[in-house]
Amino acid sequence: MATIMDGKALSQKLKQQMKLRVEEMKQAGIMPKLVVVLVGNDPASHVYVRNKHKACNEVGILSEVIELPEETSQQTLLEIIGKLNQDSTVDGILVQLPLPKQINEKTVLRAILPEKDVDGFHPVNVGLMSIGDEGFAPATPSGIIAMLHEYHIPIAGKNCVIIGRSNIVGKPMAALMLRHDATVTSCHSKTKDLAQHTRQADIVIVAAGRRNVLTADMVKEGAVVIDVGMNRNDEGKLCGDVDFAAVKEKASYITPVPGGVGPMTITELLENTILAAQRHHRA
Ligand code: NAP
């Protein structure tokens, strides 16, 4: 029976540490500030933004939410980003995704100054991360690395299989695991015989957004299993991509959904905002 990796508890612990760091920064005259721009009426986005705002307040990071109507033009959004880029009191800028149809996501993400791009989605930060240089790594993969460290799970030399290759989870996850010296295999919807790959893995990270993509027969005895997925089961309850009940009997460590990777994602966003403020004032 696996150890259940408690992302909620770790996130609380890290937030307590951040609170002290932010207090010290404030004493030195540095006030870390995040601005989140939310366009439109997507209910899930409103919940995510509220949670980010709440988490900033918990650790003392100044947080402002700019809410714009669904029909906002791309030009208007770009002008707002331009002003935030110029505003020296703003350390981090985050545009909540998805954006309404009339707005091109790529154009908007590229308009944010890389040094304020705390989501780590700007191509400059993607490039810096892949060459292992100082930038911002996306929050979800960074949160997973933090969890592996917390549970003293070795990464170097381990076979790591990642299911999913999105720009926000799968690909940056592969880059970070490679940077930590894992031997990385990236799987996706065109992968032939997924189980053949996952059965070789010491660490399996699942970010497919499909229930039961990873079942017990696909996992090696003692493997570490990280579940990024957020789905609803037949009863409407939140569940991951992993058949948790069966896989936990075979794995050595496993993350639950909810209470695993999710809470760590917001914590890493806070970490990136603190980093942005430190770098901004160092410059
Ligand atoms: P995405 O953009 O939809 O990407 C899903 C990836 O999974 C794609 O690369 C896809 O392959 C692959 N895939 C889908 N079905 C597969 C299958 N049956 N076998 C193998 N590969 C398969 O999703 P995402 O944005 O990366 O998010 C993934 C999941 O994580 C979602 O449930 C999302 O809600 C969740 N999530 C959670 C957090 C958190 O904080 N906990 C943060 C972000 C995302 P192709 O590329 O070939 O299409």
Side-chain angles (χ1 to χ4, degrees):
M1 165 91 174
T3 299
I4 315 287
M5 299 168 81
D6 190 342
K8 206 170 161 191
L10 175 57
S11 133
Q12 286 304 335
K13 180 173 129 181
L14 294 175
K15 279 193 278 191
Q16 284 307 318
Q17 294 169 357
M18 280 181 207
K19 198 172 169 182
L20 299 176
R21 283 161 62 203
V22 171
E23 267 165 29
E24 274 174 25
M25 289 171 78
K26 285 183 176 170
Q27 274 162 19
I30 303 169
M31 307 281 271
K33 180 172 176 182
L34 173 70
V35 177
V36 178
V37 185
L38 173 59
V39 189
N41 312 315
D42 180 55
S45 292
H46 276 262
V47 174
Y48 295 144
V49 169
R50 207 163 41 239
N51 289 342
K52 288 169 186 173
H53 182 64
K54 207 176 116 216
C56 282
N57 285 340
E58 276 178 60
V59 303
I61 292 175
L62 298 176
S63 154
E64 185 186 330
V65 179
I66 299 178
E67 285 191 42
L68 301 170
E70 183 78 29
E71 62 276 12
T72 302
S73 69
Q74 178 167 303
Q75 188 54 34
T76 302
L77 180 57
L78 290 176
E79 280 166 17
I80 289 170
I81 293 171
K83 283 191 187 131
L84 295 171
N85 282 342
Q86 297 294 318
D87 185 341
S88 65
T89 69
V90 175
D91 300 296
I93 304 168
L94 183 158
V95 177
Q96 185 65 41
L97 302 177
L99 288 166
K101 284 187 289 292
Q102 73 278 13
I103 300 177
N104 184 306
E105 209 170 276
K106 274 192 195 167
T107 308
V108 168
L109 294 180
R110 283 169 199 202
I112 299 171
L113 270 183
E115 51 270 37
K116 295 193 179 189
D117 166 43
V118 286
D119 252 343
F121 295 161
H122 191 288
V124 166
N125 281 319
V126 176
L128 288 171
M129 185 187 54
S130 61
I131 60 170
D133 220 332
E134 187 179 270
F136 294 108
T140 302
S142 301
I144 292 169
I145 297 285
M147 281 183 102
L148 293 171
H149 287 335
E150 173 71 12
Y151 284 86
H152 305 290
I153 294 167
I155 304 176
K158 299 295 175 187
N159 287 334
C160 174
V161 168
I162 299 164
I163 307 179
R165 56 171 166 180
S166 71
N167 289 335
I168 63 167
V169 188
K171 277 188 203 140
M173 190 75 244
L176 288 187
M177 291 304 277
L178 188 59
R179 198 202 285 183
H180 284 83
D181 297 325
T183 302
V184 180
T185 305
S186 285
C187 297
H188 44 77
S189 67
K190 309 288 188 295
T191 298
K192 291 195 178 104
D193 198 354
L194 186 60
Q196 178 220 316
H197 295 281
T198 56
R199 280 192 206 112
Q200 309 296 319
D202 304 303
I203 303 172
V204 190
I205 301 172
V206 195
R210 306 269 188 287
R211 279 162 60 189
N212 292 329
V213 160
L214 192 78
T215 49
D217 57 306
M218 298 167 74
V219 176
K220 181 169 90 171
E221 197 73 47
V224 175
V225 176
I226 307 289
D227 191 352
V228 186
M230 286 201 296
N231 313 296
R232 297 271 163 198
N233 67 15
D234 295 335
E235 291 87 49
K237 277 195 182 157
L238 199 61
C239 69
D241 291 352
V242 174
D243 177 3
F244 182 79
V247 173
K248 78 174 187 321
E249 301 302 325
K250 234 173 150 183
S252 56
Y253 290 88
I254 190 167
T255 61
V257 177
V261 173
M264 291 301 296
T265 295
I266 290 192
T267 309
E268 291 301 316
L269 169 68
L270 303 178
E271 180 65 44
N272 276 352
T273 305
I274 293 173
L275 265 180
Q278 284 169 336
R279 290 176 187 165
H280 175 184
H281 289 272
R282 192 184 61 193

